[in-house]
Amino acid sequence: EAQMRLPHRHGGIGIQQHQPQVSDAAFLSASALCQDAMRDAPCTYQPFESDEADGLHTRMAAIREEFPTALPVTSSPEELVRKDLPALQSKVSHAIAERNFDTLLEESKALPFPASIKACARLRSCASRASSAWLSALPTSTYLRMSPEEWRLSVRLNLGLACFQQEASHEEFYTCTCSAIVSSGEEEDHVQTCTSINKVRTQRHHLEVSSWCRSLARACMSTSLEPNAAEVEAYASRSARHSADPSLPPPPPPPCTHPQSRGDIWATNATTRILADVSVVHPTAQQYLLEAADTDGHAATARDSEKKRKYLDLCGTAVEVFPLSHEVYGRLGRPALALLGRLGDRAAEGGATTKAAFVESCLRDLSVTLRKGNARLLHAYASLATRITGGSILPGLPVGTHEVEAMEGYA
């Protein structure tokens, strides 16, 4: 419940509870705006010059005592009313959210090991702009539409709740078909690394690659899939010769060969050549867990570093390489955010949109697509886990037959 009440940017669902401090801040902000609008009117109509001024100063003192950074003490009364007070509600709301998030982190650290570090890693991964973009997406296109089940699974995954119910097993642990020992009730973490559903994980990866291609195309860049990274340097040389002599035919895209030597996307325009490699990493996976619990975005940063080393050896510095790493909960790595910023600059040059609007639109597409991929993965493992634990399933349903009667519409 505590995480649900956090704002989107802090990993919550945005179901915020009334806070008296926010109400006082909103009242002071409105009074400051009124003061500025009525500065030439009689004092009776100016809140900070009327009989209500003492009450307003009392509220300001209370807020300054609880949130010292929200109201600078050094500001003159005129600057306070004109510059600081109008934004007071936003500053107080942000300060309360930060405090609540820190409190939730401390409470998570008090949980038994390893649940404590898994909860901290999940909370840090959820607390980003990219992680929550799906919550504000309107279903205006096929790519932005989520089924009720996909939305439900996404919320439960963010909150660390069980995403599906299986028939109760007599054993606390069971052996998955991938030979891993899985703790009953903690399947959501194993889903992200289970080799028995690799094909579905590959589908999620391809969905995310398609989303990036859409974003690149909207910024007027041509794309091709899975270029051979070893041929990129030679391709760049041929492209340079074509630029110097336009009569020469343009070179074809780098060919695809061995899977280990290829990227995911080759994107070009008149002046830019980009090789992108998309990956989805789980922050609570064993190799990332300890540091991800203490550092925001550690899993994505670590994967970005791995990809940069790989492509530096394969294609040198002939092209720009962007490792586009996503954490399972939606957080993006820095190279991915940097690429979105550059695409936003290019898209804004035409004047039809702004950089902020373009980036926000791309984030929603990427976020919704990732959530759909996660739902596919969870559904695939649900039927697998049901069989492993001794239950049976009906094709097309993500639950065991023992649960069908309880489902509305299937009784």
Side-chain angles (χ1 to χ4, degrees), residues 56-337:
L56 294 174
H57 286 290
T58 301
R59 295 190 187 199
M60 277 196 295
I63 289 179
R64 181 178 281 131
E65 182 178 358
E66 188 170 359
F67 307 101
T69 58
L71 282 177
V73 180
T74 55
S75 297
S76 65
E78 293 77 12
E79 288 183 348
L80 196 65
V81 171
R82 189 177 65 257
K83 295 172 58 177
D84 298 320
L85 284 181
L88 184 61
Q89 181 182 358
S90 175
K91 292 179 180 179
V92 170
S93 297
H94 183 75
I96 291 175
E98 288 281 352
R99 184 175 63 188
N100 292 341
F101 180 76
D102 292 340
T103 301
L104 187 58
L105 269 181
E106 292 301 320
E107 292 175 354
S108 299
K109 292 177 182 178
L111 295 173
F113 185 87
S116 57
I117 55 175
K118 286 184 177 181
C120 289
R122 174 178 55 80
L123 287 171
R124 290 187 181 278
S125 184
C126 290
S128 75
R129 177 186 175 192
S131 301
S132 59
W134 63 279
L135 286 166
S136 58
L138 297 175
T140 53
S141 72
T142 304
Y143 305 117
L144 297 177
R145 291 174 191 157
M146 298 175 67
S147 69
E149 182 67 8
E150 289 170 341
W151 206 91
R152 182 186 72 87
L153 289 173
S154 298
V155 170
R156 296 185 72 85
L157 188 66
N158 262 31
L159 299 179
L161 303 175
C163 292
F164 48 81
Q165 296 181 353
Q166 301 294 338
E167 190 171 355
S169 175
H170 296 292
E171 302 293 337
E172 184 179 357
F173 299 92
Y174 63 88
T175 303
C176 180
T177 53
C178 67
S179 302
I181 305 299
V182 182
S183 174
S184 183
E186 296 184 1
E187 291 89 353
E188 288 73 24
D189 285 329
H190 178 63
V191 165
Q192 307 299 334
T193 56
C194 179
T195 56
S196 296
I197 51 175
N198 271 346
K199 289 184 178 180
V200 185
R201 189 176 296 106
T202 302
Q203 289 178 9
R204 179 180 67 180
H205 172 267
H206 290 341
L207 287 172
E208 210 62 21
V209 169
S210 298
S211 180
W212 274 107
C213 286
R214 290 193 294 272
S215 298
L216 289 161
R218 290 172 58 193
C220 301
M221 297 194 73
S222 301
T223 60
S224 60
L225 298 180
E226 299 186 344
N228 180 9
E231 295 289 333
V232 163
E233 189 169 2
Y235 173 81
S237 176
R238 295 194 298 269
S239 296
R241 290 197 299 272
H242 170 70
S243 300
D245 186 1
S247 63
L248 295 175
C256 171
T257 54
H258 193 273
Q260 296 301 321
S261 66
R262 70 192 187 200
D264 287 317
I265 304 172
W266 175 249
T268 61
N269 59 20
T271 58
T272 307
R273 303 178 186 90
I274 291 174
L275 178 67
D277 192 311
V278 179
S279 57
V280 181
V281 294
H282 191 34
T284 64
Q286 186 175 1
Q287 65 267 39
Y288 305 123
L289 180 56
L290 289 177
E291 296 203 22
D294 295 324
T295 307
D296 294 342
H298 168 74
T301 302
R303 178 59 66 90
D304 288 338
S305 299
E306 295 171 13
K307 295 293 185 179
K308 285 180 180 178
R309 288 194 297 269
K310 170 186 172 181
Y311 288 106
L312 183 62
D313 294 337
L314 287 173
C315 58
T317 58
V319 296
E320 291 185 272
V321 175
F322 281 89
L324 307 176
S325 297
H326 301 246
E327 294 186 356
V328 165
Y329 300 103
R331 180 182 283 272
L332 292 176
R334 291 184 179 179
L337 293 173

Side-chain angles (χ1 to χ4, degrees), residues 27-28 31-32 35 43-62 77 80-81 85:
F27 187 80
L28 287 169
S31 299
Q35 176 77 18
C43 294
T44 307
Y45 300 102
Q46 300 181 34
F48 286 89
E49 301 294 336
S50 66
D51 296 339
E52 302 296 329
D54 291 341
L56 294 174
H57 286 290
T58 301
R59 295 190 187 199
M60 277 196 295
L80 196 65
V81 171
L85 284 181

